[in-house]
């Protein structure tokens, strides 16, 4: 699994029966392994790496003692059962017996992604219980928000400090393997969101003995930047990626905010390492979140990118909101025009200068449509709101359903957020579980973040913003499957399944061959677009406005929408199939 055999950091069982422990501590003179309370000398291999081997059954607690003083947990621990400040624990590689051993993954054209927070779904076991229902809806892939061990019992996952250790709050590491295994048995691929651009603010002790891990003076929005110029740092994250793909059998990784990774050549190194490790015939997908809309990474071999442009333009068109990052999509007719461009060419921003005076993006019209992951909602776009409102809460169930249906029926790869198939109105709030004084700092920082928004421009109004550290903030965000007697949820779910049935029949088999036929703005809140497919043309038009408008769809078989008329009613989505 490692790019350099026998050089993985952390605690890895060896075929001989003992466990090999390895730590990169370039600022230390000597390091000891404290194994179940007993010191074991470690040998300096060179380049700041210390190692030793010892007998250690599963669950044995261990730490490293730096220069005879501070004892620290293992930053590459694969099991961290005692929270971020406690001891690490030895985990065998073969403790879980896989059942779905013939699984080779799903090809990219079949992906319908359901982004889900494991903690808000009842942990590994709770999400396992939802798998039959999710598969029956037509979902073909889960995307788990980050599961790396974080401080406390509640967190989005983007504050992880042990990238190798599945969060103990959700269950034992073997519980995560069982979740992946069961998902495969139900025909679901499983993708993991990984954070390689920063560590969380509590529990990360790397700077004490490996300050070279960070690039001093280069900041990210979350603190000191990680220095990917260091070979050991590169290997730390490459081996992490390979662990998830091979030991846990994930079908892909979504890399968070790669625009904050420097130097960017690491993305090439990671891509090559993953490619070399995957056996022929297995489907493994690497996806990016990249604020810069850099097309060259998709041309280089990354499967696809989250398309924020599609979401932001659609959200402004539906809601009329113009604050924060929606400002670049605001103005008369602008949201519709940018959405139309996104449908026809992928990115809406392809090198133009935004309101902040920054040039953003690269030309994307030449890319296949499958290089773009479209969504009407996701964890960021809901959870980064002060009150965590879902789209159905903001614009009503009908318009929210319109947005979801549109996302499912364009020939890009769709992603829906947990609860979206049945248009839940439960919020998804920002939640943490920090100790003092960080808990208060996060609460006040969160409220100050929204001070520039008109709805929260005075201290009294900002008190309405939920405290991230209050357990009730997390509890309010928990999502369960819809009840059979919830008529509204069942109606939304029926529409969701109808759209996916159309997608499976007409789009999925030929998704990699779709070619844009252009798009057109029909009104302030209405757009149409078309694509050439091998056997014909796929056209759609939608109207989120309050008045009936005319469309310009070519005549064809009406697969969705009202009667075959030249007009679109308010809230209507029309799909035409034109046979070749």
């Amino acid at each position: 699994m490692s790019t350099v055999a026998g050089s993985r950091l952390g605690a890895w069982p060896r075929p001989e029966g003992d466990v090999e422990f390895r730590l990169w501590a370039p600022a230390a003179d000597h390091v000891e392994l404290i194994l179940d309370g007993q010191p074991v000398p470690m040998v300096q291999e060179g380049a700041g790496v210390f190692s030793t081997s010892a007998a250690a059954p599963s669950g044995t607690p261990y730490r490293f003692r730096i220069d005879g003083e501070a004892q620290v947990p293992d930053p590459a621990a694969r099991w961290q059962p005692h929270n971020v400040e406690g001891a690490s624990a030895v985990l065998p590689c073969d403790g879980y017996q896989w059942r779905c051993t013939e699984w080779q993954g799903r090809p990219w054209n079949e992906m319908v992604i359901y982004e889900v927070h494991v903690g808000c779904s009842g942990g590994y076991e709770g999400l396992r219980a939802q798998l039959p229902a999710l598969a029956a809806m037509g979902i073909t892939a889960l995307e788990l928000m980050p599961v790396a061990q974080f401080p406390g019992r509640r967190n989005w996952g983007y504050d992880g400090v042990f990238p190798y250790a599945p969060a103990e709050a959700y269950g034992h590491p073997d519980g995560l393997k069982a979740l992946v295994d069961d998902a495969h048995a139900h025909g679901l691929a499983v993708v993991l969101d990984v954070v390689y651009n920063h560590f969380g603010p509590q529990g990360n002790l790397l700077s004490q003995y490996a300050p070279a891990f960070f690039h001093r003076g280069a900041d990210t929005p979350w603190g000191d930047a990680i220095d990917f110029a260091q070979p050991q740092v590169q290997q730390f994250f490459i081996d992490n990626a390979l662990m998830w793909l091979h030991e846990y059998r994930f079908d892909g990784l979504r890399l968070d905010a790669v625009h904050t990774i420097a130097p960017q050549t690491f993305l090439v190194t990671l891509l090559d390492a993953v490619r070399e490790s995957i056996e022929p015939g297995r489907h493994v997908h690497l996806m990016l979140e990249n604020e810069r809309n850099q097309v060259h990474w998709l041309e280089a071999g990354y499967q696809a990118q989250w398309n924020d442009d599609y979401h932001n333009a659609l959200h402004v068109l539906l809601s009329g909101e113009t604050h924060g990052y929606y400002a670049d999509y605001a103005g008369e007719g602008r949201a519709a025009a940018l959405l139309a461009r996104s449908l026809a060419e992928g990115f809406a921003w392809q090198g133009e200068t935004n309101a902040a005076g920054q040039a953003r993006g690269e030309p994307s019209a030449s890319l296949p449509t499958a290089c773009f992951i479209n969504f009407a909602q996701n964890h960021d776009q809901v959870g980064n709101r002060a009150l965590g409102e879902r789209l159905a809460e903001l614009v009503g169930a009908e318009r929210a359903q319109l947005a979801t249906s549109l996302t499912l029926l364009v020939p890009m790869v769709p992603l829906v957020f947990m609860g979206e198939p049945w248009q839940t109105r439960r919020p998804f709030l920002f939640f943490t579980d920090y100790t003092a004084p960080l808990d208060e700092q996060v609460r006040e920082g969160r409220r100050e973040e929204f001070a520039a928004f008109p709805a929260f421009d005075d201290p009294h109004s900002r008190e309405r913003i939920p405290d991230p550290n209050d357990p009730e903030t997390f509890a309010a965000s928990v999502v369960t499957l819809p009840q059979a007697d919830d008529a509204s949820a069942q109606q939304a779910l029926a529409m969701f399944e109808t759209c996916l049935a159309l997608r499976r029949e007409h789009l999925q088999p030929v998704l990699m061959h779709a070619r844009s036929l252009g798009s057109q703005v029909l009104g302030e809140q209405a757009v149409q677009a078309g694509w050439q497919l091998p056997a014909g043309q796929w056209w759609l038009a939608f109207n989120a406005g309050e008045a009936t408008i005319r469309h310009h769809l070519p005549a064809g078989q009406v697969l969705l929408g009202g009667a075959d008329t030249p007009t679109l009613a308010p809230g209507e989505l029309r799909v035409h199939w034109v046979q070749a």
Side-chain angles (χ1 to χ4, degrees):
M1 281 168 48
S2 175
T3 52
V4 181
S7 64
R8 288 175 293 179
L9 301 172
W12 293 90
R14 302 198 308 173
E16 295 84 348
D18 57 1
V19 177
E20 187 170 55
F21 298 86
R22 182 173 278 104
L23 176 73
W24 186 51
D29 292 325
H30 65 273
V31 177
E32 298 165 281
L33 169 68
I34 307 300
L35 186 63
D36 201 11
Q38 300 300 312
V40 180
M42 300 185 75
V43 176
Q44 187 167 10
E45 296 181 354
V49 175
F50 295 80
S51 66
T52 191
S53 298
S58 176
T60 303
Y62 71 96
R63 296 175 186 256
F64 298 113
R65 184 156 61 194
I66 310 298
D67 292 334
E69 297 179 357
Q71 292 190 23
V72 299
D74 182 358
R78 293 164 47 248
W79 188 11
Q80 190 64 28
H82 308 294
N83 214 318
V84 296
E85 290 84 10
S88 306
V90 172
L91 182 72
C93 295
D94 56 358
Y96 179 80
Q97 298 302 310
W98 292 85
R99 293 172 291 105
C100 199
T101 56
E102 301 302 315
W103 176 262
Q104 291 293 300
R106 272 191 176 271
W108 186 244
N109 60 293
E110 296 179 359
M111 300 288 268
V112 176
I113 304 171
Y114 184 78
E115 188 194 21
V116 59
H117 187 278
V118 176
C120 290
S121 305
Y124 305 133
E125 287 299 315
L127 186 52
R128 281 179 70 188
Q130 295 184 23
L131 295 177
L134 296 175
M137 294 174 193
I139 291 161
T140 62
L142 302 182
E143 181 173 314
L144 308 186
M145 290 176 64
V147 300
Q149 180 68 50
F150 48 75
R153 307 294 295 175
R154 307 175 300 277
N155 196 281
W156 272 20
Y158 297 90
D159 293 328
V161 288
F162 291 89
Y164 287 72
E168 187 69 12
Y170 304 155
H172 188 278
D174 285 352
L176 176 57
K177 294 177 182 178
L179 170 61
V180 175
D181 204 7
D182 272 14
H184 290 167
H186 285 91
L188 297 166
V190 191
V191 172
L192 180 64
D193 193 340
V194 292
V195 182
Y196 291 166
N197 50 56
H198 74 283
F199 289 88
Q202 180 180 323
N204 174 27
L205 304 178
L206 277 164
S207 59
Q208 294 183 15
Y209 53 88
F213 210 101
F214 302 97
H215 192 292
R216 301 301 177 187
D219 294 332
T220 73
W222 314 282
D224 290 336
I226 295 170
D227 188 359
F228 283 92
Q230 300 287 340
Q232 289 291 349
V233 173
Q234 292 188 33
Q235 185 168 328
F236 180 89
F237 289 105
I238 288 171
D239 286 343
N240 179 260
L242 299 182
M243 180 198 74
W244 293 125
L245 296 175
H246 294 283
E247 183 181 349
Y248 285 83
R249 304 193 182 186
F250 279 96
D251 300 287
L253 303 173
R254 181 262 194 190
L255 276 63
D256 179 68
V258 299
H259 52 277
T260 61
I261 289 176
Q264 293 262 287
T265 51
F266 169 72
L267 296 176
V268 178
T269 307
L270 175 62
L271 181 62
D272 289 345
V274 169
R275 279 173 166 170
E276 291 170 7
S277 77
I278 301 301
E279 62 272 20
R282 184 182 173 194
H283 297 285
V284 168
H285 312 295
L286 297 182
M287 294 143 280
L288 303 175
E289 179 192 31
N290 187 353
E291 174 65 25
R292 294 175 184 162
N293 284 0
Q294 292 169 307
V295 167
H296 61 269
W297 291 122
L298 302 175
E299 295 172 335
Y302 281 93
Q303 193 81 61
Q305 179 181 313
W306 274 30
N307 193 355
D308 283 331
D309 283 353
Y310 169 85
H311 167 273
N312 293 350
L314 179 60
H315 186 92
V316 173
L317 182 147
L318 291 168
S319 70
E321 292 186 345
T322 60
H323 299 286
Y325 42 62
Y326 295 133
D328 284 341
Y329 302 81
E332 185 176 354
R334 189 165 180 76
L338 291 176
L339 179 59
R341 189 183 197 194
S342 178
L343 291 173
E345 301 179 21
F347 295 137
W349 293 89
Q350 301 181 30
E352 296 81 8
T353 301
N354 62 16
Q358 301 167 332
R360 176 170 173 254
E362 298 171 357
S364 59
S366 63
L367 289 174
T369 60
C371 285
F372 304 94
I373 300 172
N374 282 4
F375 42 85
Q377 301 181 72
N378 66 29
H379 77 272
D380 265 335
Q381 311 295 0
V382 177
N384 281 336
R385 302 183 64 86
L387 303 179
E389 305 101 325
R390 301 289 188 126
L391 198 56
E393 190 70 27
L394 294 172
V395 302
E398 183 178 279
R399 286 187 175 186
Q401 184 65 64
L402 180 68
T404 301
S405 298
L406 176 70
T407 302
L408 298 177
L409 290 173
V410 294
M412 290 76 175
V413 172
L415 177 146
V416 294
F417 189 44
M418 61 176 185
E420 185 181 349
W422 55 96
Q423 297 300 333
T424 182
R425 292 192 178 223
R426 290 187 67 85
F428 183 69
L429 297 161
F430 179 65
F431 47 82
T432 56
D433 186 18
Y434 289 129
T435 56
L438 189 56
D439 56 350
E440 182 178 354
Q441 293 170 358
V442 168
R443 181 179 65 249
E444 296 310 313
R446 174 77 172 170
R447 291 174 176 173
E448 190 60 31
E449 180 182 343
F450 292 97
F453 289 70
F456 303 101
D457 59 2
D458 66 85
H460 180 72
S461 64
R462 291 195 290 275
E463 290 179 3
R464 296 190 296 116
I465 299 175
D467 179 356
N469 290 281
D470 185 341
E472 289 302 313
T473 302
F474 167 77
S477 304
V478 170
V479 172
T480 58
L481 292 172
Q483 298 297 311
D485 61 355
D486 185 337
S488 176
Q490 293 303 324
Q491 182 180 8
L493 193 53
M495 185 61 180
F496 182 83
E497 293 173 355
T498 294
C499 291
L500 283 185
L502 289 173
R503 183 178 183 86
R504 282 193 301 273
E505 180 179 357
H506 294 276
L507 294 180
Q508 276 186 195
V510 295
L511 186 67
M512 310 306 287
H513 304 287
R515 178 175 57 84
S516 175
L517 293 171
S519 60
Q520 184 178 352
V521 173
L522 301 175
E524 190 81 12
Q525 294 178 279
V527 172
Q528 76 172 45
W531 295 267
Q532 182 69 51
L533 303 178
Q537 295 179 356
W538 182 263
W539 288 89
L540 58 78
F542 75 98
N543 176 17
E546 301 294 338
T548 297
I549 62 167
R550 297 187 66 85
H551 66 76
H552 306 288
L553 298 175
Q557 181 185 1
V558 180
L559 299 180
L560 188 74
D564 188 4
T565 67
T567 59
L568 284 175
E572 183 180 352
L573 171 64
R574 180 81 59 83
V575 178
H576 283 196
W577 170 247
V578 182
Q579 191 76 30

